[in-house]
Amino acid sequence: MDRRELADFLRSRRERITPADVGLPTGPRRRTPGLRREEAAQLAFISTEYYTRLEQARGPHPSREVLAGLARALRLTDAERDHLHHLAGVPPGPPPGPSREVRQSILDLLHRLPQAAAIVVSAMHEVIAWNDLAAALMEDFSAVPRRDRNLVRRVFLGPHPEGRRLYGVSDADEFARRAAQDLRATAARYPDDPELTQLVAELLAGSEEFTELWDSHDVATAPTFRKTFQHPSVGPVTVNCDVLDLSDRDQRVVIYTATPGSPSEGALRLLSVIGTQRMDTTP
């Protein structure tokens, strides 16, 4: 175990993360770049004293569970996670939870699709990347905490503004069924991920519908390839839905396009101009 290198590595990863990245308030009196030590410790489910000792090169030999918590809290890439394990003298094992790292080429692809709304979702159905048109069609994901970007939590627990379930999409009920089935499969692939375990527990406690679907053990149903969003500013937007599987990351790219020459294509063009501002809001 290389305590000094481990300490320097943890500090460098902590200082690059902003509170907003992990859904924490920035606050007016923050002096530390990135997260505070106590915030990193809280996210990793360890004590602040333990984490401080690690950053001061005085810490004990961390267990796999501690390393998994640190990797999750500091949002390490797969390569960084392996490096953390090597510094701690613990050979890396399989990923403890779904990857949230999106390849740069995929991020570039999203922004090269100006006439399509596109998002990337993790195996937990969390929106982890999006382009401007997707933010205009669905919501400004950058303005909500990370936990609220999870589409499974959204469809079962809300919010449902003006009675619009999951952004008013026409297949919300079908999506809910598929999402519950997908989440069960994801839980089987990542049985040791505490964030996934917490999400399932929250859904079971808060939604009878999810509990019934979870207990049914049904196989996945066929996806919907065409759906309509009821948008509060431009009205109904009917789109084709195509999904690209990124098997190496256990992620999906979801691309929404409108039929050329249709009213929905015009609506998407209007959304690309007005962005995330609401035209139905009284100043």
Side-chain angles (χ1 to χ4, degrees):
M1 175 177 174
D2 191 333
R3 284 182 169 81
R4 175 47 56 192
E5 285 294 325
L6 176 62
D8 292 343
F9 182 66
L10 290 175
R11 185 180 305 108
S12 68
R13 300 305 89 179
R14 173 175 60 82
E15 290 179 349
R16 73 176 181 174
I17 301 175
T18 66
D21 290 334
V22 292
L24 295 175
T26 301
R29 312 177 87 179
R30 181 176 293 271
R31 299 177 182 176
T32 304
L35 296 179
R36 298 186 178 103
R37 284 176 175 171
E38 58 268 28
E39 292 170 336
Q42 180 182 5
L43 292 169
F45 300 106
I46 60 177
S47 70
T48 301
E49 179 185 2
Y50 185 9
Y51 182 83
T52 300
R53 291 175 65 191
L54 288 174
E55 276 205 9
Q56 292 176 345
R58 300 186 297 110
H61 200 291
S63 66
R64 284 188 178 274
E65 290 75 15
V66 168
L67 293 174
L70 290 170
R72 181 182 61 255
L74 300 177
R75 303 183 68 180
L76 301 187
T77 66
D78 291 343
E80 290 170 334
R81 181 186 67 90
D82 290 349
H83 183 58
L84 175 69
H85 275 258
H86 289 306
L87 291 177
V90 180
S99 174
R100 301 185 66 258
E101 179 189 4
V102 182
R103 286 202 304 269
Q104 185 60 48
S105 60
I106 297 299
L107 295 175
D108 294 340
L109 171 65
L110 263 58
H111 295 292
R112 289 172 180 165
L113 298 172
Q115 297 181 20
I119 60 176
V120 180
V121 295
S122 72
M124 289 173 57
H125 286 277
E126 177 188 347
V127 178
I128 53 178
W130 57 90
N131 64 7
D132 291 342
L133 190 52
L137 178 64
M138 301 170 75
E139 73 174 324
D140 185 1
F141 296 106
S142 65
V144 299
R146 179 190 153 198
R147 60 173 276 112
D148 293 338
R149 299 173 194 165
N150 188 285
L151 300 181
V152 185
R153 181 181 283 113
R154 178 87 183 213
V155 73
F156 285 106
L157 303 181
H160 302 143
E162 301 173 2
R164 296 185 305 119
R165 190 181 192 190
L166 196 65
Y167 315 112
V169 72
S170 57
D171 70 331
D173 293 342
E174 290 83 355
F175 173 83
R177 285 194 291 271
R178 293 197 310 274
Q181 295 156 8
D182 285 346
L183 199 62
R184 177 173 279 285
T186 300
R189 293 197 299 276
Y190 306 102
D192 299 325
D193 181 44
E195 188 173 343
L196 177 54
T197 301
Q198 180 180 353
L199 173 63
V200 172
E202 183 180 347
L203 291 167
L204 288 172
S207 171
E208 293 183 3
E209 179 187 8
F210 178 83
T211 301
E212 182 177 347
L213 291 167
W214 183 260
D215 292 341
S216 70
H217 296 271
D218 286 343
V219 296
T221 56
T224 302
F225 296 105
R226 189 170 177 83
K227 61 184 67 182
T228 300
F229 287 86
Q230 294 294 335
H231 194 276
S233 296
V234 300
V237 183
T238 300
V239 293
N240 303 306
C241 177
D242 293 288
V243 180
L244 307 178
D245 285 321
L246 306 178
S247 57
D248 62 317
R249 302 291 174 91
D250 205 0
Q251 298 169 353
R252 298 170 186 170
V253 182
V254 185
I255 303 174
Y256 301 113
T257 56
T259 301
S262 67
S264 292
E265 183 187 38
L268 284 182
R269 287 179 177 173
L270 178 57
L271 282 175
S272 69
V273 174
I274 66 176
T276 57
Q277 63 179 312
R278 291 282 300 271
M279 299 196 310
D280 61 340
T281 303
T282 303

